[in-house]
Amino acid sequence: LHAIVLLAVMLGLGRFAALIPHAVLAGILIKVGIDIIDWDYLKRLPTAPRAGVTFMFVVLFLTVFVDLVTAVAVGVVLASLLFVKRMSDLQIASVRAIIEPKDDPSFTTEEFKAFEATGGKALYVHLGGPLSFGAANEVGRRLGSESGYNVLVLDLSATPFVDSSASLAIEGVIRHAVSRDQPVFLVGMMPSVEQVLAQLRVLRLVPDERRFKTRLEAFRRAADVVSSSRETAG
């Protein structure tokens, strides 16, 4: 009913609405404003998340001192940025960087033995969930602070999707390892992930023989590389 009345006013009944006293319209606005306030949320302001409370006051300020359209647009943008930030934090939390096999209880007995054979010279990085640029960039930052490993194993078996920016961040991680003469092994790439990485020419940095379906195969190959390096050094 409200929508029909508003449509009628827009299509030709506006001249009649103009006859309504401003005091009456003001009263209607006050009543509507009071009704749309979330009183239950206001009671919880002291314990509510700071980000949500801040956004609420920003939108309120813009609504009063600018206009409603601007306030809604800014609110949507801020909420989107907050969502992206939280998703990135969750993705970063799912990243596991492991040098000692005992640190990952999910290893099978064979995987444990194969990884242990690297003698702590292989770094295993597990990436979980859809990978965004923020999470991939954080992986690069973490790996930049790691030292003492000769082989990098990137496990993408739990990553169903990567966007273009995340792919470029992964490329940065691979380039960093390659620049230090550290072989990079990719594990468990799903077809969708492999397609994106191939289209952006990231996979040209990792030869076919360094891409594996299972981490057991990658661990065994890493152990061989480490063993060969020791023999060469000896």
Tab-separated table of all heavy atoms in Angstrom, residues 103-143:
chain	number	residue	atom	x	y	z
A	103	ASP	N	54.648	-30.942	13.743
A	103	ASP	CA	53.774	-29.781	13.926
A	103	ASP	C	52.454	-29.920	13.186
A	103	ASP	O	51.567	-29.075	13.349
A	103	ASP	CB	54.486	-28.504	13.451
A	103	ASP	CG	55.693	-28.165	14.306
A	103	ASP	OD1	55.685	-28.565	15.488
A	103	ASP	OD2	56.629	-27.520	13.804
A	104	ASP	N	52.312	-30.945	12.351
A	104	ASP	CA	51.066	-31.161	11.616
A	104	ASP	C	50.558	-32.580	11.872
A	104	ASP	O	51.051	-33.537	11.294
A	104	ASP	CB	51.286	-30.945	10.117
A	104	ASP	CG	49.969	-30.839	9.354
A	104	ASP	OD1	48.966	-31.431	9.806
A	104	ASP	OD2	49.929	-30.160	8.318
A	105	PRO	N	49.547	-32.712	12.732
A	105	PRO	CA	49.030	-34.048	13.057
A	105	PRO	C	48.284	-34.715	11.915
A	105	PRO	O	47.942	-35.890	11.995
A	105	PRO	CB	48.083	-33.772	14.240
A	105	PRO	CG	47.680	-32.344	14.078
A	105	PRO	CD	48.869	-31.655	13.488
A	106	SER	N	48.010	-33.947	10.835
A	106	SER	CA	47.266	-34.532	9.712
A	106	SER	C	48.152	-35.385	8.812
A	106	SER	O	47.653	-36.095	7.936
A	106	SER	CB	46.619	-33.419	8.872
A	106	SER	OG	47.605	-32.651	8.202
A	107	PHE	N	49.470	-35.359	9.012
A	107	PHE	CA	50.370	-36.162	8.194
A	107	PHE	C	50.122	-37.653	8.437
A	107	PHE	O	49.970	-38.090	9.580
A	107	PHE	CB	51.835	-35.858	8.537
A	107	PHE	CG	52.344	-34.559	7.950
A	107	PHE	CD1	53.636	-34.142	8.221
A	107	PHE	CD2	51.553	-33.774	7.138
A	107	PHE	CE1	54.123	-32.948	7.699
A	107	PHE	CE2	52.017	-32.586	6.609
A	107	PHE	CZ	53.313	-32.167	6.885
A	108	THR	N	50.116	-38.411	7.356
A	108	THR	CA	50.072	-39.859	7.498
A	108	THR	C	51.481	-40.345	7.879
A	108	THR	O	52.443	-39.566	7.861
A	108	THR	CB	49.641	-40.530	6.188
A	108	THR	OG1	50.635	-40.265	5.179
A	108	THR	CG2	48.300	-39.986	5.716
A	109	THR	N	51.582	-41.618	8.200
A	109	THR	CA	52.883	-42.168	8.590
A	109	THR	C	53.900	-42.016	7.463
A	109	THR	O	55.057	-41.627	7.693
A	109	THR	CB	52.741	-43.652	8.967
A	109	THR	OG1	51.801	-43.786	10.035
A	109	THR	CG2	54.086	-44.225	9.404
A	110	GLU	N	53.471	-42.310	6.236
A	110	GLU	CA	54.382	-42.195	5.094
A	110	GLU	C	54.773	-40.745	4.851
A	110	GLU	O	55.932	-40.443	4.546
A	110	GLU	CB	53.730	-42.782	3.846
A	110	GLU	CG	53.572	-44.300	3.897
A	110	GLU	CD	52.979	-44.833	2.606
A	110	GLU	OE1	52.177	-44.101	1.974
A	110	GLU	OE2	53.312	-45.964	2.222
A	111	GLU	N	53.804	-39.830	4.954
A	111	GLU	CA	54.103	-38.415	4.765
A	111	GLU	C	55.055	-37.912	5.846
A	111	GLU	O	55.966	-37.124	5.571
A	111	GLU	CB	52.807	-37.606	4.778
A	111	GLU	CG	51.927	-37.819	3.555
A	111	GLU	CD	50.569	-37.160	3.680
A	111	GLU	OE1	50.192	-36.798	4.828
A	111	GLU	OE2	49.882	-37.006	2.657
A	112	PHE	N	54.834	-38.365	7.062
A	112	PHE	CA	55.697	-37.977	8.176
A	112	PHE	C	57.145	-38.399	7.907
A	112	PHE	O	58.079	-37.601	8.059
A	112	PHE	CB	55.183	-38.606	9.475
A	112	PHE	CG	55.944	-38.192	10.707
A	112	PHE	CD1	55.520	-37.123	11.476
A	112	PHE	CD2	57.096	-38.870	11.094
A	112	PHE	CE1	56.220	-36.740	12.614
A	112	PHE	CE2	57.809	-38.489	12.220
A	112	PHE	CZ	57.359	-37.416	12.982
A	113	LYS	N	57.331	-39.637	7.485
A	113	LYS	CA	58.681	-40.155	7.236
A	113	LYS	C	59.331	-39.420	6.064
A	113	LYS	O	60.514	-39.077	6.111
A	113	LYS	CB	58.624	-41.655	6.961
A	113	LYS	CG	58.233	-42.495	8.169
A	113	LYS	CD	58.196	-43.982	7.814
A	113	LYS	CE	57.829	-44.821	9.038
A	113	LYS	NZ	57.755	-46.275	8.691
A	114	ALA	N	58.535	-39.181	5.000
A	114	ALA	CA	59.087	-38.520	3.824
A	114	ALA	C	59.495	-37.087	4.144
A	114	ALA	O	60.553	-36.616	3.711
A	114	ALA	CB	58.072	-38.547	2.689
A	115	PHE	N	58.662	-36.398	4.912
A	115	PHE	CA	58.977	-35.014	5.247
A	115	PHE	C	60.127	-34.948	6.246
A	115	PHE	O	60.972	-34.047	6.182
A	115	PHE	CB	57.738	-34.322	5.828
A	115	PHE	CG	57.871	-32.824	5.914
A	115	PHE	CD1	57.871	-32.043	4.771
A	115	PHE	CD2	57.994	-32.194	7.139
A	115	PHE	CE1	57.991	-30.665	4.842
A	115	PHE	CE2	58.115	-30.813	7.230
A	115	PHE	CZ	58.120	-30.049	6.071
A	116	GLU	N	60.182	-35.905	7.139
A	116	GLU	CA	61.261	-35.950	8.127
A	116	GLU	C	62.605	-36.188	7.434
A	116	GLU	O	63.657	-35.731	7.918
A	116	GLU	CB	60.987	-37.050	9.144
A	116	GLU	CG	61.903	-37.024	10.365
A	116	GLU	CD	61.514	-38.077	11.390
A	116	GLU	OE1	61.099	-39.183	10.972
A	116	GLU	OE2	61.618	-37.805	12.592
A	117	ALA	N	62.556	-36.874	6.302
A	117	ALA	CA	63.789	-37.170	5.567
A	117	ALA	C	64.438	-35.919	4.989
A	117	ALA	O	65.610	-35.957	4.608
A	117	ALA	CB	63.501	-38.171	4.451
A	118	THR	N	63.687	-34.817	4.938
A	118	THR	CA	64.270	-33.568	4.431
A	118	THR	C	65.180	-32.917	5.470
A	118	THR	O	65.882	-31.948	5.162
A	118	THR	CB	63.170	-32.566	4.036
A	118	THR	OG1	62.412	-32.197	5.202
A	118	THR	CG2	62.245	-33.165	2.996
A	119	GLY	N	65.123	-33.410	6.693
A	119	GLY	CA	66.007	-32.897	7.741
A	119	GLY	C	65.764	-31.445	8.101
A	119	GLY	O	66.698	-30.725	8.464
A	120	GLY	N	64.525	-31.012	7.997
A	120	GLY	CA	64.210	-29.624	8.352
A	120	GLY	C	64.621	-28.618	7.296
A	120	GLY	O	64.614	-27.409	7.556
A	121	LYS	N	64.946	-29.099	6.092
A	121	LYS	CA	65.373	-28.205	5.014
A	121	LYS	C	64.257	-27.928	4.004
A	121	LYS	O	64.491	-27.277	2.987
A	121	LYS	CB	66.582	-28.805	4.286
A	121	LYS	CG	67.835	-28.889	5.148
A	121	LYS	CD	68.266	-27.501	5.609
A	121	LYS	CE	69.537	-27.564	6.448
A	121	LYS	NZ	69.982	-26.221	6.896
A	122	ALA	N	63.053	-28.427	4.293
A	122	ALA	CA	61.904	-28.171	3.424
A	122	ALA	C	60.841	-27.420	4.221
A	122	ALA	O	60.590	-27.737	5.385
A	122	ALA	CB	61.334	-29.475	2.879
A	123	LEU	N	60.250	-26.426	3.596
A	123	LEU	CA	59.170	-25.658	4.220
A	123	LEU	C	57.866	-26.016	3.538
A	123	LEU	O	57.723	-25.835	2.318
A	123	LEU	CB	59.432	-24.158	4.104
A	123	LEU	CG	58.339	-23.235	4.663
A	123	LEU	CD1	58.167	-23.447	6.168
A	123	LEU	CD2	58.651	-21.776	4.368
A	124	TYR	N	56.929	-26.542	4.313
A	124	TYR	CA	55.621	-26.932	3.787
A	124	TYR	C	54.601	-25.857	4.149
A	124	TYR	O	54.437	-25.515	5.327
A	124	TYR	CB	55.200	-28.283	4.371
A	124	TYR	CG	53.764	-28.663	4.102
A	124	TYR	CD1	53.335	-28.976	2.813
A	124	TYR	CD2	52.841	-28.718	5.146
A	124	TYR	CE1	52.020	-29.330	2.575
A	124	TYR	CE2	51.525	-29.074	4.911
A	124	TYR	CZ	51.107	-29.382	3.631
A	124	TYR	OH	49.805	-29.724	3.397
A	125	VAL	N	53.935	-25.313	3.140
A	125	VAL	CA	52.942	-24.256	3.358
A	125	VAL	C	51.604	-24.737	2.831
A	125	VAL	O	51.468	-25.030	1.631
A	125	VAL	CB	53.341	-22.940	2.661
A	125	VAL	CG1	52.273	-21.874	2.890
A	125	VAL	CG2	54.693	-22.454	3.183
A	126	HIS	N	50.622	-24.811	3.731
A	126	HIS	CA	49.279	-25.241	3.363
A	126	HIS	C	48.372	-24.024	3.290
A	126	HIS	O	48.254	-23.264	4.252
A	126	HIS	CB	48.734	-26.233	4.391
A	126	HIS	CG	47.340	-26.700	4.096
A	126	HIS	ND1	46.219	-26.011	4.529
A	126	HIS	CD2	46.884	-27.771	3.393
A	126	HIS	CE1	45.143	-26.644	4.121
A	126	HIS	NE2	45.507	-27.708	3.436
A	127	LEU	N	47.736	-23.838	2.128
A	127	LEU	CA	46.813	-22.721	1.930
A	127	LEU	C	45.398	-23.280	1.880
A	127	LEU	O	45.103	-24.163	1.069
A	127	LEU	CB	47.130	-21.979	0.627
A	127	LEU	CG	48.578	-21.499	0.477
A	127	LEU	CD1	48.781	-20.845	-0.880
A	127	LEU	CD2	48.921	-20.521	1.588
A	128	GLY	N	44.512	-22.768	2.733
A	128	GLY	CA	43.156	-23.292	2.807
A	128	GLY	C	42.107	-22.278	2.416
A	128	GLY	O	42.228	-21.091	2.727
A	129	GLY	N	41.075	-22.735	1.699
A	129	GLY	CA	39.971	-21.874	1.326
A	129	GLY	C	40.288	-20.999	0.129
A	129	GLY	O	41.406	-20.978	-0.370
A	130	PRO	N	39.270	-20.268	-0.381
A	130	PRO	CA	39.505	-19.339	-1.494
A	130	PRO	C	40.581	-18.332	-1.108
A	130	PRO	O	40.560	-17.782	-0.019
A	130	PRO	CB	38.141	-18.655	-1.674
A	130	PRO	CG	37.159	-19.598	-1.059
A	130	PRO	CD	37.876	-20.258	0.074
A	131	LEU	N	41.511	-18.116	-2.005
A	131	LEU	CA	42.667	-17.281	-1.683
A	131	LEU	C	42.508	-15.894	-2.285
A	131	LEU	O	42.401	-15.738	-3.504
A	131	LEU	CB	43.948	-17.934	-2.213
A	131	LEU	CG	45.271	-17.382	-1.686
A	131	LEU	CD1	45.362	-17.582	-0.182
A	131	LEU	CD2	46.433	-18.064	-2.381
A	132	SER	N	42.495	-14.878	-1.431
A	132	SER	CA	42.418	-13.496	-1.878
A	132	SER	C	43.812	-12.882	-1.893
A	132	SER	O	44.777	-13.478	-1.419
A	132	SER	CB	41.512	-12.680	-0.951
A	132	SER	OG	42.079	-12.591	0.350
A	133	PHE	N	43.902	-11.673	-2.423
A	133	PHE	CA	45.200	-11.008	-2.505
A	133	PHE	C	45.789	-10.768	-1.117
A	133	PHE	O	46.981	-10.973	-0.898
A	133	PHE	CB	45.067	-9.675	-3.242
A	133	PHE	CG	46.326	-8.849	-3.201
A	133	PHE	CD1	47.392	-9.150	-4.031
A	133	PHE	CD2	46.451	-7.786	-2.316
A	133	PHE	CE1	48.563	-8.407	-4.000
A	133	PHE	CE2	47.612	-7.033	-2.278
A	133	PHE	CZ	48.668	-7.343	-3.127
A	134	GLY	N	44.926	-10.337	-0.179
A	134	GLY	CA	45.421	-10.037	1.164
A	134	GLY	C	46.051	-11.244	1.818
A	134	GLY	O	47.129	-11.152	2.419
A	135	ALA	N	45.396	-12.415	1.682
A	135	ALA	CA	45.931	-13.635	2.292
A	135	ALA	C	47.217	-14.075	1.593
A	135	ALA	O	48.199	-14.446	2.240
A	135	ALA	CB	44.884	-14.746	2.229
A	136	ALA	N	47.223	-14.032	0.253
A	136	ALA	CA	48.410	-14.444	-0.484
A	136	ALA	C	49.577	-13.509	-0.200
A	136	ALA	O	50.727	-13.949	-0.075
A	136	ALA	CB	48.113	-14.467	-1.987
A	137	ASN	N	49.296	-12.237	-0.072
A	137	ASN	CA	50.353	-11.272	0.229
A	137	ASN	C	50.931	-11.517	1.618
A	137	ASN	O	52.141	-11.367	1.842
A	137	ASN	CB	49.787	-9.853	0.136
A	137	ASN	CG	50.868	-8.810	-0.024
A	137	ASN	OD1	51.810	-9.005	-0.788
A	137	ASN	ND2	50.746	-7.706	0.671
A	138	GLU	N	50.070	-11.902	2.567
A	138	GLU	CA	50.532	-12.210	3.915
A	138	GLU	C	51.415	-13.453	3.910
A	138	GLU	O	52.400	-13.531	4.648
A	138	GLU	CB	49.333	-12.413	4.837
A	138	GLU	CG	49.690	-12.826	6.261
A	138	GLU	CD	50.467	-11.761	7.023
A	138	GLU	OE1	50.470	-10.595	6.581
A	138	GLU	OE2	51.078	-12.096	8.050
A	139	VAL	N	51.075	-14.422	3.054
A	139	VAL	CA	51.913	-15.615	2.922
A	139	VAL	C	53.312	-15.214	2.460
A	139	VAL	O	54.317	-15.682	2.986
A	139	VAL	CB	51.292	-16.614	1.918
A	139	VAL	CG1	52.256	-17.755	1.627
A	139	VAL	CG2	49.995	-17.170	2.485
A	140	GLY	N	53.347	-14.316	1.467
A	140	GLY	CA	54.638	-13.843	0.988
A	140	GLY	C	55.437	-13.149	2.069
A	140	GLY	O	56.656	-13.323	2.170
A	141	ARG	N	54.760	-12.369	2.894
A	141	ARG	CA	55.447	-11.656	3.977
A	141	ARG	C	56.006	-12.642	4.991
A	141	ARG	O	57.135	-12.491	5.468
A	141	ARG	CB	54.487	-10.693	4.658
A	141	ARG	CG	55.154	-9.753	5.651
A	141	ARG	CD	54.131	-8.994	6.452
A	141	ARG	NE	53.377	-9.870	7.330
A	141	ARG	CZ	53.838	-10.326	8.487
A	141	ARG	NH1	55.041	-9.996	8.904
A	141	ARG	NH2	53.099	-11.121	9.236
A	142	ARG	N	55.212	-13.666	5.322
A	142	ARG	CA	55.673	-14.664	6.289
A	142	ARG	C	56.871	-15.439	5.764
A	142	ARG	O	57.846	-15.676	6.488
A	142	ARG	CB	54.536	-15.633	6.616
A	142	ARG	CG	53.426	-15.036	7.464
A	142	ARG	CD	52.460	-16.135	7.879
A	142	ARG	NE	51.337	-15.609	8.627
A	142	ARG	CZ	50.356	-16.378	9.128
A	142	ARG	NH1	50.388	-17.687	8.935
A	142	ARG	NH2	49.357	-15.838	9.804
A	143	LEU	N	56.802	-15.834	4.501
A	143	LEU	CA	57.890	-16.618	3.934
A	143	LEU	C	59.162	-15.784	3.838
A	143	LEU	O	60.270	-16.314	3.919
A	143	LEU	CB	57.503	-17.139	2.544
A	143	LEU	CG	56.358	-18.146	2.513
A	143	LEU	CD1	56.157	-18.663	1.104
A	143	LEU	CD2	56.614	-19.307	3.455
